[in-house]
Amino acid sequence: MSSLPNILTCSRIFAVPLLAFFLWWPEWRLGYLIGFVLYCIIAITDFFDGYLARAQGTVSKLGIFLDPIADKIMVAAVILVLTAQGYLRGPYAGDVHVIAGLIILVREIAVSGLREFLGGLQVSVPVSALAKWKTTFQLVALGALILGGAVHGAPCQSVFEGCGSIANSWVHVVGLVSLWTAAVLTLITGWDYLRVGLKHMD
């Protein structure tokens, strides 16, 4: 528990409520800017805890257990808060963007359950290259949606609301496009993991 990689992992978990606090008020641009900086720090910490654990030869069972949990807690918290504050809404499509966030959340829960089931059978499921791209788009999407709050303020709240040009909300649009890209990759990789699991369910 006292190793630096595990401390970094735990710090990511404890930072999530603070991140949610800064994202709680949709019109508070400074809060979203601080939230974006904190989000980037958490993402960087995610890279370094694994890197240091491997480099120092301090990979532990606790770290292996906590690392994916920390990732899922942050992703779930950010998606839920952004949804509640209207940041998964947009012009023309309105609340439809919430579906992309829902797909990602459902996949995270399903894959976690599948990994737990296969772990009992001592079957490992390696992370595919496509899954890494999914994670990349997911990180970019959530980061862009948070940054959009700092740059543009709260997005349009209604399909019928006058939103102006895309130039007035391009960071938010990048976030939504990236979120849908991550959702599509989520379905593909989720199905790949499920196929592996089904082979061991006979």
Side-chain angles (χ1 to χ4, degrees):
M1 188 67 181
S2 61
S3 67
L4 180 58
N6 286 344
I7 291 174
L8 290 175
T9 300
C10 290
S11 71
R12 285 160 49 206
I13 296 174
F14 291 126
V16 170
L18 184 60
L19 176 60
F21 169 80
F22 286 116
L23 303 181
W24 201 258
W25 292 274
E27 301 292 344
W28 186 26
R29 291 196 180 192
L30 178 59
Y32 271 73
L33 179 60
I34 297 172
F36 176 72
V37 173
L38 181 58
Y39 176 83
C40 291
I41 293 173
I42 293 173
I44 292 171
T45 304
D46 182 19
F47 168 78
F48 275 108
D49 61 5
Y51 174 79
L52 290 173
R54 291 187 295 270
Q56 297 175 355
T58 56
V59 176
S60 65
K61 292 181 179 179
L62 180 64
I64 294 172
F65 168 71
L66 287 178
D67 186 63
I69 289 177
D71 295 340
K72 289 171 174 56
I73 288 174
M74 185 192 72
V75 170
V78 172
I79 288 177
L80 287 174
V81 174
L82 291 180
T83 299
Q85 305 310 330
Y87 277 79
L88 263 64
R89 296 183 187 141
Y92 310 115
D95 289 332
V96 170
H97 302 292
V98 174
I99 295 175
L102 183 61
I103 290 172
I104 291 172
L105 289 179
V106 170
R107 184 266 192 190
E108 294 294 347
I109 295 171
V111 170
S112 294
L114 181 61
R115 286 185 180 278
E116 182 177 352
F117 168 75
L118 293 177
L121 301 177
Q122 299 195 353
V123 176
S124 63
V125 183
V127 178
S128 65
L130 201 59
K132 293 179 179 179
W133 276 108
K134 185 273 300 183
T135 301
T136 300
F137 275 105
Q138 188 171 281
L139 288 173
V140 170
L142 299 182
L145 290 171
I146 295 171
L147 182 60
V151 175
H152 307 300
C156 295
Q157 299 297 301
S158 167
V159 178
F160 306 104
E161 186 178 342
C163 300
S165 65
I166 291 180
N168 294 329
S169 58
W170 68 271
V171 178
H172 185 69
V173 172
V174 168
L176 293 175
V177 171
S178 299
L179 189 71
W180 276 105
T181 304
V184 171
L185 294 178
T186 286
L187 290 173
I188 297 173
T189 57
W191 172 245
D192 288 340
Y193 288 139
L194 181 60
R195 284 192 302 175
V196 173
L198 289 174
K199 295 179 181 178
H200 300 276
M201 293 181 184
D202 294 333

